[in-house]
Amino acid sequence: MRMYICLQPLRSGFIKGYRPLIGIDGCHLKRAYPGLGKDGNNNIYPIARAIVEVENKDTWCWFLECLKKDLGDVCEGGGWTFMSDRQKDLLEAFELQVPTVEKRYCVRHIWASLKLQFSGSTFKELFWNATRATTLVDFEVAMESIKFLSEDAYVYLDNIPAKHWSRHAFSSDCKSNMLLNNVCETFNAVIRDARDKPILTQMEWIRRYMMKRHNEKWEAIKKMDGKLMSYVTKFFERIERDVRHCIVQVSRGDSYEVELNGKRTCTCYHGS
Protein backbone atom coordinates (compact mmCIF):
# COMPACT_ATOMS: atom_id res chain seq x y z
CA MET A 1 0.00 0.00 0.00
CA ARG A 2 2.88 2.38 0.74
CA MET A 3 6.53 2.72 -0.18
CA TYR A 4 9.01 5.30 1.11
CA ILE A 5 12.51 5.82 -0.28
CA CYS A 6 15.31 8.06 0.97
CA LEU A 7 18.68 7.11 -0.57
CA GLN A 8 21.64 7.27 1.81
CA PRO A 9 23.92 9.47 -0.38
CA LEU A 10 21.15 12.05 -0.82
CA ARG A 11 20.31 11.96 2.87
CA SER A 12 23.94 12.42 3.93
CA GLY A 13 24.56 15.15 1.37
CA PHE A 14 21.54 17.12 2.49
CA ILE A 15 22.37 16.90 6.20
CA LYS A 16 26.01 17.88 5.68
CA GLY A 17 25.77 20.75 3.28
CA TYR A 18 22.36 22.19 2.46
CA ARG A 19 20.22 25.04 3.69
CA PRO A 20 17.50 23.92 6.14
CA LEU A 21 14.63 24.31 3.66
CA ILE A 22 12.42 21.42 2.50
CA GLY A 23 9.63 21.71 -0.03
CA ILE A 24 6.85 19.12 0.26
CA ASP A 25 4.10 18.38 -2.24
CA GLY A 26 1.99 15.58 -3.71
CA CYS A 27 1.37 14.40 -7.27
CA HIS A 28 -2.34 13.94 -6.81
CA LEU A 29 -3.02 11.72 -9.81
CA LYS A 30 -0.51 9.04 -8.84
CA ARG A 31 -0.01 9.96 -5.19
CA ALA A 32 3.76 10.43 -5.13
CA TYR A 33 4.96 12.58 -2.23
CA PRO A 34 8.31 14.30 -2.85
CA GLY A 35 10.42 16.15 -0.32
CA LEU A 36 13.01 18.40 -1.95
CA GLY A 37 15.61 20.97 -1.06
CA LYS A 38 17.92 23.25 -3.05
CA ASP A 39 21.62 22.78 -3.59
CA GLY A 40 24.33 25.45 -3.46
CA ASN A 41 23.65 26.39 -7.08
CA ASN A 42 19.95 26.85 -6.34
CA ASN A 43 19.03 23.67 -8.20
CA ILE A 44 16.55 21.04 -7.06
CA TYR A 45 17.90 18.48 -4.60
CA PRO A 46 15.57 15.46 -4.13
CA ILE A 47 15.70 14.06 -0.60
CA ALA A 48 12.90 11.53 -0.22
CA ARG A 49 9.76 10.29 -1.96
CA ALA A 50 6.87 7.95 -1.26
CA ILE A 51 3.89 6.23 -2.86
CA VAL A 52 0.72 6.02 -0.74
CA GLU A 53 -2.80 4.72 -1.20
CA VAL A 54 -4.55 8.05 -0.64
CA GLU A 55 -3.63 11.61 0.31
CA ASN A 56 -4.87 12.46 3.80
CA LYS A 57 -3.58 13.45 7.23
CA ASP A 58 -2.65 9.88 8.12
CA THR A 59 -0.45 9.32 5.05
CA TRP A 60 1.15 12.75 5.38
CA CYS A 61 1.97 11.97 9.03
CA TRP A 62 3.48 8.67 7.95
CA PHE A 63 5.64 10.35 5.31
CA LEU A 64 6.84 13.05 7.73
CA GLU A 65 7.57 10.45 10.40
CA CYS A 66 9.73 8.51 7.93
CA LEU A 67 11.47 11.72 6.89
CA LYS A 68 12.17 12.63 10.52
CA LYS A 69 13.78 9.26 11.14
CA ASP A 70 16.09 9.73 8.16
CA LEU A 71 17.04 13.32 8.95
CA GLY A 72 17.52 12.61 12.64
CA ASP A 73 17.16 15.45 15.12
CA VAL A 74 17.40 18.20 12.52
CA CYS A 75 13.63 18.53 12.20
CA GLU A 76 13.14 18.81 15.94
CA GLY A 77 15.29 21.86 16.54
CA GLY A 78 14.86 25.44 15.45
CA GLY A 79 16.07 26.87 12.17
CA TRP A 80 14.28 24.46 9.83
CA THR A 81 11.67 25.51 7.28
CA PHE A 82 9.05 23.41 5.47
CA MET A 83 7.27 24.86 2.44
CA SER A 84 3.95 23.58 1.13
CA ASP A 85 0.90 24.52 -0.92
CA ARG A 86 -1.12 24.90 2.31
CA GLN A 87 -3.10 21.68 1.97
CA LYS A 88 -5.30 21.23 5.03
CA ASP A 89 -4.27 17.62 5.74
CA LEU A 90 -0.58 18.46 5.36
CA LEU A 91 -0.82 21.46 7.70
CA GLU A 92 -2.41 19.25 10.34
CA ALA A 93 0.35 16.68 9.84
CA PHE A 94 2.98 19.42 10.27
CA GLU A 95 1.51 20.34 13.66
CA LEU A 96 1.59 16.71 14.78
CA GLN A 97 4.98 15.67 13.40
CA VAL A 98 7.12 18.82 13.12
CA PRO A 99 5.42 21.47 15.28
CA THR A 100 8.60 23.48 15.95
CA VAL A 101 9.73 24.10 12.37
CA GLU A 102 8.98 27.26 10.42
CA LYS A 103 6.19 26.80 7.87
CA ARG A 104 5.97 28.74 4.63
CA TYR A 105 3.08 28.74 2.20
CA CYS A 106 3.52 28.92 -1.55
CA VAL A 107 2.26 32.43 -2.35
CA ARG A 108 1.18 31.45 -5.85
CA HIS A 109 -1.47 29.21 -4.30
CA ILE A 110 -2.55 31.97 -1.91
CA TRP A 111 -2.98 34.29 -4.90
CA ALA A 112 -4.88 31.58 -6.81
CA SER A 113 -7.46 31.53 -4.00
CA LEU A 114 -7.50 35.31 -3.57
CA LYS A 115 -8.02 36.15 -7.23
CA LEU A 116 -11.21 34.08 -7.37
CA GLN A 117 -12.87 36.92 -5.45
CA PHE A 118 -10.53 39.86 -5.98
CA SER A 119 -9.11 39.76 -9.48
CA GLY A 120 -7.41 42.51 -11.42
CA SER A 121 -3.90 43.78 -12.03
CA THR A 122 -4.02 46.24 -9.11
CA PHE A 123 -4.83 43.56 -6.54
CA LYS A 124 -2.18 41.30 -8.05
CA GLU A 125 0.52 43.98 -7.92
CA LEU A 126 -0.28 44.95 -4.33
CA PHE A 127 -0.40 41.30 -3.21
CA TRP A 128 3.02 40.58 -4.69
CA ASN A 129 4.36 43.81 -3.19
CA ALA A 130 3.24 42.52 0.21
CA THR A 131 4.84 39.09 -0.30
CA ARG A 132 8.14 40.51 -1.53
CA ALA A 133 8.38 43.24 1.12
CA THR A 134 11.62 42.91 3.08
CA THR A 135 10.68 45.49 5.74
CA LEU A 136 7.66 45.82 7.98
CA VAL A 137 7.01 49.34 6.64
CA ASP A 138 6.83 48.19 3.01
CA PHE A 139 4.55 45.33 4.00
CA GLU A 140 2.17 47.61 5.90
CA VAL A 141 2.04 50.08 2.98
CA ALA A 142 1.00 47.28 0.60
CA MET A 143 -1.55 45.89 3.04
CA GLU A 144 -3.08 49.31 3.70
CA SER A 145 -3.43 49.82 -0.05
CA ILE A 146 -5.22 46.47 -0.31
CA LYS A 147 -7.46 47.50 2.59
CA PHE A 148 -8.32 50.75 0.80
CA LEU A 149 -9.50 48.77 -2.24
CA SER A 150 -11.28 46.00 -0.36
CA GLU A 151 -11.77 45.36 3.34
CA ASP A 152 -12.62 41.71 2.60
CA ALA A 153 -9.37 41.13 0.69
CA TYR A 154 -7.40 42.69 3.54
CA VAL A 155 -9.14 40.50 6.13
CA TYR A 156 -8.52 37.39 4.02
CA LEU A 157 -4.77 38.04 3.91
CA ASP A 158 -4.56 39.33 7.48
CA ASN A 159 -5.97 36.02 8.71
CA ILE A 160 -2.91 34.26 7.27
CA PRO A 161 0.05 35.07 9.56
CA ALA A 162 2.64 37.06 7.62
CA LYS A 163 5.45 34.78 8.84
CA HIS A 164 4.12 32.14 6.44
CA TRP A 165 4.08 34.21 3.25
CA SER A 166 5.87 37.60 3.44
CA ARG A 167 9.64 37.96 3.28
CA HIS A 168 9.86 40.64 5.98
CA ALA A 169 8.55 38.18 8.56
CA PHE A 170 10.65 35.15 7.55
CA SER A 171 13.20 33.83 9.99
CA SER A 172 16.79 34.47 8.89
CA ASP A 173 17.82 30.96 9.99
CA CYS A 174 16.81 29.41 6.68
CA LYS A 175 18.96 31.74 4.54
CA SER A 176 16.39 31.65 1.74
CA ASN A 177 13.78 34.16 0.58
CA MET A 178 11.91 31.56 -1.50
CA LEU A 179 8.20 32.35 -1.92
CA LEU A 180 7.13 29.57 -4.28
CA ASN A 181 7.04 25.81 -3.87
CA ASN A 182 8.09 25.37 -7.48
CA VAL A 183 10.93 22.99 -6.58
CA CYS A 184 8.33 20.27 -5.99
CA GLU A 185 6.14 21.24 -8.92
CA THR A 186 9.11 21.19 -11.28
CA PHE A 187 10.08 17.73 -10.06
CA ASN A 188 6.49 16.53 -10.41
CA ALA A 189 6.47 17.70 -14.03
CA VAL A 190 9.73 15.91 -14.79
CA ILE A 191 8.52 12.53 -13.51
CA ARG A 192 5.23 12.72 -15.44
CA ASP A 193 6.38 9.96 -17.83
CA ALA A 194 6.89 7.61 -14.88
CA ARG A 195 3.59 8.16 -13.10
CA ASP A 196 1.53 5.79 -15.24
CA LYS A 197 3.90 2.85 -14.70
CA PRO A 198 3.66 0.05 -12.10
CA ILE A 199 4.99 1.16 -8.72
CA LEU A 200 8.34 -0.69 -8.78
CA THR A 201 9.00 0.35 -12.38
CA GLN A 202 8.04 3.89 -11.48
CA MET A 203 10.41 3.99 -8.52
CA GLU A 204 13.27 2.58 -10.61
CA TRP A 205 12.60 5.17 -13.34
CA ILE A 206 12.84 7.96 -10.77
CA ARG A 207 15.98 6.45 -9.19
CA ARG A 208 17.75 6.26 -12.55
CA TYR A 209 16.65 9.78 -13.46
CA MET A 210 18.01 11.12 -10.16
CA MET A 211 21.29 9.21 -10.58
CA LYS A 212 21.76 10.61 -14.10
CA ARG A 213 20.85 14.12 -12.97
CA HIS A 214 23.21 14.10 -9.99
CA ASN A 215 26.06 12.88 -12.17
CA GLU A 216 25.44 15.72 -14.62
CA LYS A 217 25.55 18.21 -11.74
CA TRP A 218 28.72 16.59 -10.40
CA GLU A 219 30.49 16.80 -13.76
CA ALA A 220 29.44 20.45 -14.14
CA ILE A 221 30.77 21.34 -10.67
CA LYS A 222 34.16 19.78 -11.47
CA LYS A 223 34.54 22.33 -14.28
CA MET A 224 33.69 25.26 -12.01
CA ASP A 225 36.23 28.04 -11.52
CA GLY A 226 36.58 29.83 -8.20
CA LYS A 227 34.91 29.18 -4.85
CA LEU A 228 31.41 30.40 -5.70
CA MET A 229 28.65 28.52 -7.50
CA SER A 230 27.66 29.92 -10.91
CA TYR A 231 24.24 31.01 -9.59
CA VAL A 232 25.85 32.98 -6.76
CA THR A 233 28.39 34.54 -9.13
CA LYS A 234 25.63 35.71 -11.48
CA PHE A 235 23.63 37.07 -8.54
CA PHE A 236 26.58 39.11 -7.31
CA GLU A 237 27.14 40.44 -10.81
CA ARG A 238 23.51 41.64 -10.94
CA ILE A 239 23.74 43.55 -7.67
CA GLU A 240 27.23 44.93 -8.29
CA ARG A 241 25.91 48.25 -9.58
CA ASP A 242 23.87 48.82 -6.41
CA VAL A 243 26.78 47.81 -4.20
CA ARG A 244 28.93 50.55 -5.74
CA HIS A 245 26.59 53.14 -4.25
CA CYS A 246 26.58 51.65 -0.73
CA ILE A 247 28.17 53.54 2.13
CA VAL A 248 29.65 51.14 4.69
CA GLN A 249 30.47 52.19 8.24
CA VAL A 250 32.02 49.83 10.76
CA SER A 251 29.99 49.47 13.96
CA ARG A 252 31.99 47.05 16.08
CA GLY A 253 33.78 43.81 15.33
CA ASP A 254 32.00 42.10 12.42
CA SER A 255 28.98 44.45 12.53
CA TYR A 256 28.56 47.15 9.91
CA GLU A 257 26.04 49.79 8.96
CA VAL A 258 25.27 49.82 5.23
CA GLU A 259 23.44 52.76 3.70
CA LEU A 260 21.96 52.74 0.20
CA ASN A 261 20.08 55.77 -1.13
CA GLY A 262 19.60 57.10 2.38
CA LYS A 263 18.00 53.86 3.67
CA ARG A 264 19.29 51.47 6.32
CA THR A 265 17.96 47.98 7.03
CA CYS A 266 18.85 45.46 9.69
CA THR A 267 19.30 41.70 9.37
CA CYS A 268 15.91 41.00 10.99
CA TYR A 269 14.24 42.69 7.98
CA HIS A 270 12.35 45.14 10.24
CA GLY A 271 14.51 48.17 9.55
CA SER A 272 13.34 51.16 7.50
Side-chain angles (χ1 to χ4, degrees):
M1 292 177 66
R2 301 176 186 177
M3 178 184 292
Y4 169 89
I5 293 179
C6 178
L7 300 177
Q8 175 65 26
L10 299 181
R11 169 188 172 277
S12 298
F14 181 75
I15 293 175
K16 290 179 180 178
Y18 288 86
R19 284 172 290 179
L21 173 67
I22 301 175
I24 295 183
D25 196 13
C27 302
H28 298 289
L29 292 178
K30 300 300 176 182
R31 300 172 294 280
Y33 288 175
L36 302 108
K38 280 193 172 185
D39 63 21
N41 203 37
N42 229 36
N43 296 143
I44 294 172
Y45 186 88
I47 305 166
R49 62 191 186 277
I51 299 290
V52 297
E53 71 278 17
V54 66
E55 181 177 359
N56 57 29
K57 184 174 72 173
D58 177 62
T59 52
W60 274 123
C61 283
W62 173 78
F63 176 75
L64 291 173
E65 186 175 5
C66 293
L67 188 63
K68 284 200 308 180
K69 290 179 181 178
D70 277 321
L71 297 184
D73 297 332
V74 294
C75 290
E76 297 299 328
W80 280 80
T81 300
F82 279 39
M83 173 168 274
S84 73
D85 293 345
R86 205 171 156 229
Q87 303 99 310
K88 181 176 181 295
D89 290 334
L90 179 53
L91 294 183
E92 293 178 357
F94 279 156
E95 293 305 315
L96 291 172
Q97 294 293 331
V98 286
T100 61
V101 302
E102 178 185 0
K103 289 92 174 175
R104 290 190 194 175
Y105 303 152
C106 178
V107 296
R108 186 170 63 81
H109 286 79
I110 296 178
W111 169 245
S113 299
L114 183 67
K115 72 178 182 179
L116 295 176
Q117 303 179 57
F118 313 101
S119 59
S121 58
T122 304
F123 268 118
K124 183 177 182 180
E125 181 180 356
L126 291 174
F127 169 75
W128 284 97
N129 286 346
T131 64
R132 294 176 178 136
T134 54
T135 67
L136 178 60
V137 172
D138 290 339
F139 175 75
E140 289 177 341
V141 168
M143 289 294 286
E144 285 300 316
S145 299
I146 292 174
K147 187 176 183 179
F148 177 79
L149 292 176
S150 171
E151 184 81 25
D152 290 339
Y154 172 84
V155 171
Y156 176 85
L157 291 175
D158 193 49
N159 284 333
I160 307 173
K163 65 181 180 180
H164 297 311
W165 62 280
S166 179
R167 282 176 177 163
H168 85 281
F170 289 166
S171 166
S172 60
D173 294 330
C174 183
K175 305 295 188 294
S176 173
N177 62 2
M178 194 167 75
L179 294 169
L180 306 174
N181 199 25
N182 51 8
V183 291
C184 290
E185 292 169 6
T186 301
F187 185 78
N188 290 346
V190 167
I191 65 173
R192 185 175 296 149
D193 292 340
R195 283 164 29 196
D196 62 348
K197 303 182 186 304
I199 291 178
L200 294 181
T201 306
Q202 177 186 124
M203 285 299 198
E204 275 297 281
W205 189 100
I206 296 175
R207 182 190 64 81
R208 291 192 179 100
Y209 162 76
M210 290 166 57
M211 180 172 64
K212 177 176 178 291
R213 185 180 184 280
H214 279 284
N215 181 65
E216 291 173 350
K217 299 297 179 184
W218 176 255
E219 293 299 324
I221 290 299
K222 289 197 296 185
K223 301 175 184 177
M224 184 185 74
D225 294 325
K227 297 181 179 181
L228 298 178
M229 294 289 187
S230 59
Y231 173 85
V232 178
T233 301
K234 292 177 182 177
F235 177 78
F236 283 158
E237 289 174 352
R238 289 201 305 269
I239 66 175
E240 184 180 3
R241 290 183 180 179
D242 287 337
V243 171
R244 292 173 183 173
H245 300 289
C246 287
I247 301 173
V248 181
Q249 304 267 359
V250 64
S251 174
R252 179 174 295 178
D254 294 329
S255 297
Y256 299 84
E257 176 184 281
V258 181
E259 184 175 343
L260 176 62
N261 298 327
K263 296 182 179 180
R264 294 183 295 273
T265 58
C266 62
T267 54
C268 67
Y269 310 118
H270 290 75
S272 61

